[in-house]
Amino acid sequence: MSRIDETVTILGELIAYPTVSSDSNLAMIDFLADCLGALGARCEILRDETGGKANLFATIGPETGGGILLSGHTDVVPVADQDWSTDPFAMREVDGLLYGRGTCDMKGFIAACLATAPVYARGTLSRPVHFAFTHDEEVGCLGAQALVAEMRGRDTRPALAIIGEPTLMRVIEGHKGCCEYTTRFHGLEGHGSAPDLGVSATEYAARFVVRLLELRGELAARAPEGSRFDPPGSTVQTGRIAGGVAHNVIAGLAEVDWELRPVTAADKDFATRTMRDYCNDTLLPAMRAVHEGARIETQVIGDVEGLEPVTDNEAARIVSELTGANGADVVAFATEAGLFQSLGMQAVVCGPGDIAQAHKPDEFVARDQLAACLAMLEGLDAKLR
């Protein structure tokens, strides 16, 4: 069987694991560990505190530092309420396109890694190859955050990281951060006929969203000159608003899910401080003028650092040589790369598939994209001998 056919076969097996972020990924992690363990890889299954999720960290080659990390997340977004043509967890191929939840984001890269692992396992490597397959990337990069914390104290941690998110095999050297928050408003319920006697949590949530929209314009005005991002500045958006129980009941509880995608750490500080001060200085005094027990709480759901472009990036240089790319780009979407960079590693994002297909019904990756990824991963072997 050719390596591309083997990759497609492995991808079909991975798609059959319905690793939606709300569910366990342990069965898929065990499968990956079995495949790599059979090649002699040193495998660690690192469970989260619930025991229902896990990262896999596996190594082929010498037990030294300075290795190269191949990273991908195992979780996928939900398929509920999406109009799929066929079963999203049963991969199908039509005209060179492989359909299924996660084919593009990002089990195609993981399948290519597994298909190439036997190449790395042959002979002696000059530096180790590590595989990091994480949980809960789609809900705040929780697995990668735990893995980075685990790796921080190790002398044998990798020096370079290749994160295989879908980039159409373009070399990506920078991306924005992704910070996700839920702000909850606790008011005072009452009869709708006397709104002045209650504190409507939904109305204060609405005022909060209006301030977020104002903040959007303020962030746009702060865009760095010559920014390579599209859009050029930091962005903020409201994902969900919920609250209230009936037309004639003053809402006692409401919540707003919102996200911030900062270009710089200064923008992140500015945005979070702006919304915190608006709550403390404007909204809360008005709420507590009616009900002393009113409160506003903001929960951090995910806080993922951006990938900052650096002048000398060995990871980007190697991947550019392997893919024939002339230069590197930046993207607005976030990945786990910034977390690995925070550990002192040089990181680059490059993987098969188009991010435009991610999270959609009938998600797909093209067979020729997988072939290009295999060529990159196989070429890496020559640089490790």
Side-chain angles (χ1 to χ4, degrees), residues 119-195:
V119 176
Y120 302 139
R122 295 197 301 249
T124 302
L125 298 177
S126 61
R127 59 200 298 190
V129 175
H130 307 278
F131 303 86
F133 301 135
T134 59
H135 66 85
D136 288 333
E137 188 271 351
E138 299 289 4
V139 290
C141 294
L142 305 183
Q145 291 186 64
L147 180 60
V148 165
E150 170 69 25
M151 293 169 60
R152 196 172 298 279
R154 298 188 179 189
D155 295 332
T156 57
R157 61 177 177 268
L160 311 176
I162 301 172
I163 294 84
E165 289 278 5
T167 68
L168 286 171
M169 294 304 296
R170 293 183 302 137
V171 179
I172 303 301
E173 65 176 353
H175 64 66
K176 296 182 181 183
C178 182
C179 309
E180 298 179 342
Y181 307 101
T182 295
T183 299
R184 295 183 177 87
F185 300 82
H186 301 265
L188 178 65
E189 290 186 337
H191 197 284
S193 63

Side-chain angles (χ1 to χ4, degrees), residues 212-213 215-217 219 234-238 258-261 271:
L212 280 175
L213 294 176
L215 176 63
R216 178 182 293 174
L219 289 171
S234 301
T235 60
V236 66
Q237 72 94 23
T238 305
W258 56 288
E259 71 165 9
L260 169 68
R261 293 186 180 260

Side-chain angles (χ1 to χ4, degrees), residues 299-373:
Q299 178 184 3
V300 178
I301 305 300
D303 192 354
V304 180
E305 300 182 46
L307 175 63
E308 181 180 350
V310 295
T311 303
D312 184 18
N313 186 334
E314 185 185 0
R317 185 170 62 252
I318 288 175
V319 173
S320 294
E321 291 172 359
L322 294 174
T323 61
N326 184 17
D329 299 323
V330 299
V331 292
F333 64 85
T335 77
E336 298 172 334
L339 291 167
F340 294 118
Q341 187 181 59
S342 73
L343 197 59
M345 300 166 61
Q346 295 182 17
V348 66
V349 185
C350 183
D354 188 345
I355 193 65
Q357 298 302 323
H359 300 188
K360 291 183 178 180
D362 291 337
E363 174 185 347
F364 68 81
V365 67
R367 179 182 275 259
D368 60 5
Q369 282 285 299
L370 293 178
C373 182

